[in-house]
Amino acid sequence: MVNSSGATTTSLKLLLYEIEATPREYWADLLSALRQFRQKIPSATSPVVNAEQAQKNQAAIALLDSWLDDDEDTSEQQMTWDFLKTALDEDRLSNRPLFP
C-alpha cells in the first residue's frame, strides 16, 4: 500500500516529467491550461495563505512568466552562443574543443 505522501511524490514526478517532455515554446499555454483547470476545481475548504509568502510567490511567478513571454530574437541568441563557444575554445590547454 502506498501512503499519501508517496502517491503525491509519484504524481508530482509524473507531472514534472510531462512538463519537461513538452517543448518550451508551449509552456505558456500549458501554464494557462493548468491555471484554468485549477480554477474550475471546487474548493471544499479555503486554504490558509500567508500573505507575505503569497506576495513573494506572485513576484516569482511574474518573473517566470516574463521569461516565458520573452520574445528575444533567436538569431541573436544563436550568434551569442556561437561567439561564446569560440571564445571558450580559444585558449584551452586541451586540443579537444569544449563544445564539439
Side-chain angles (χ1 to χ4, degrees), residues 24-85:
R24 286 186 182 254
E25 61 264 22
Y26 298 105
W27 280 11
D29 295 333
L30 183 61
L31 178 61
S32 176
L34 185 59
R35 285 181 176 159
Q36 289 175 5
F37 174 78
R38 183 179 42 84
Q39 290 171 355
K40 292 179 183 178
I41 299 173
S43 177
T45 60
S46 60
V48 176
V49 176
N50 177 339
E52 182 181 349
Q53 186 61 50
Q55 187 175 12
K56 289 178 184 177
N57 292 352
Q58 276 308 122
I61 290 169
L63 177 61
L64 291 171
D65 283 342
S66 74
W67 290 347
L68 286 173
D69 294 338
D70 198 2
D71 292 333
E72 287 188 20
D73 186 13
T74 306
S75 64
E76 182 180 337
Q77 291 177 1
Q78 185 62 47
M79 288 175 23
T80 302
W81 173 239
D82 293 338
F83 173 81
L84 285 172
K85 284 195 307 189

